[in-house]
Amino acid sequence: MPENKKRYGMVIDLRKCVGCHACTVACKMENDVPQNCFNTWVEEWDHGSYPNVSKVKLPKMCNHCVDAPCLEVCPVEATFALEGGSVVVDEEKCIGCGACLVACPYEARYMKPDQKAGKCTFCVGRAESGLMPACVSTCISHARYFGDLNDPESDVAKLIKENEVHGLKEDLGLDLSVVYIGLNEIGTEPADRFKGGKE
């Protein structure tokens, strides 16, 4: 995406996340997310060995990839990127085939009861009105930051410039719009953890 265009993104500071799950609750209320489905969630596990053990808290969501696999596989082009880079689903076009759910390497999509694909939208309506996404405005420890990645004066751009940041599964080369501070310090994620936007 050209650097002179707006590109929404999020920085999550894992050093600050306390695992309260306020982001998850706020998102469900703001976006009317169906029961047992999640646009954002917080995974937790123990890291280290006794007596040096800590609890890892890793918030997850759609990464709004620039090169998103879900866009490539949708047979009816129901998944698309808005100006600003937010990846969304046109429910009028969605046929519920589930191809995007399979294609997402982050398991950040789910099927709604009406057989339409659901996911995080970066609360695009709020963002376009100058408000923060619900998960950001509700975070009690100020671990989430949102803004224009291409604006050097934005909080997210400054954080990325001043800190070492990493995204999930960076080796896939998808150009992620969600990055973390402290991701390289939490160790390897257990393979048996709860994953995805649906229980």
Side-chain angles (χ1 to χ4, degrees), residues 92 121 133 148 168 181:
E92 293 297 319
T121 65
D148 184 357
L168 299 173
I181 298 173

Side-chain angles (χ1 to χ4, degrees), residues 63-180:
N63 287 275
H64 297 274
C65 317
V66 172
D67 299 316
C70 57
L71 273 73
E72 301 294 328
V73 301
C74 182
V76 294
E77 299 182 347
T79 292
F80 63 101
L82 296 169
E83 182 178 350
S86 299
V87 177
V88 297
V89 178
D90 184 339
E91 293 194 4
E92 293 297 319
K93 290 184 177 181
C94 180
I95 58 175
C97 68
C100 60
L101 278 69
V102 176
C104 177
Y106 303 101
E107 300 182 47
R109 288 170 169 257
Y110 52 87
M111 197 63 71
K112 297 180 180 181
D114 62 0
Q115 293 303 296
K116 304 293 184 180
K119 63 179 293 297
C120 162
T121 65
F122 269 161
C123 286
V124 67
R126 290 174 60 93
E128 291 299 330
S129 299
L131 300 173
M132 292 289 112
C135 63
V136 175
S137 62
T138 308
C139 181
I140 64 169
S141 58
H142 303 288
R144 292 186 181 227
Y145 300 83
F146 178 81
D148 184 357
L149 296 172
N150 288 336
D151 177 2
E153 296 303 313
S154 70
D155 289 339
V156 287
K158 289 178 180 178
L159 283 168
I160 290 172
K161 182 178 180 180
E162 297 167 0
N163 296 273
E164 180 180 354
V165 298
H166 295 281
L168 299 173
K169 301 183 180 180
E170 287 180 313
D171 57 307
L172 297 177
L174 301 178
D175 197 359
L176 309 178
S177 297
V178 177
V179 294
Y180 299 83

Side-chain angles (χ1 to χ4, degrees), residues 22-33:
C23 53
T24 303
V25 175
C27 174
K28 288 183 75 71
M29 294 178 64
E30 176 71 24
N31 298 290
D32 194 25
V33 179

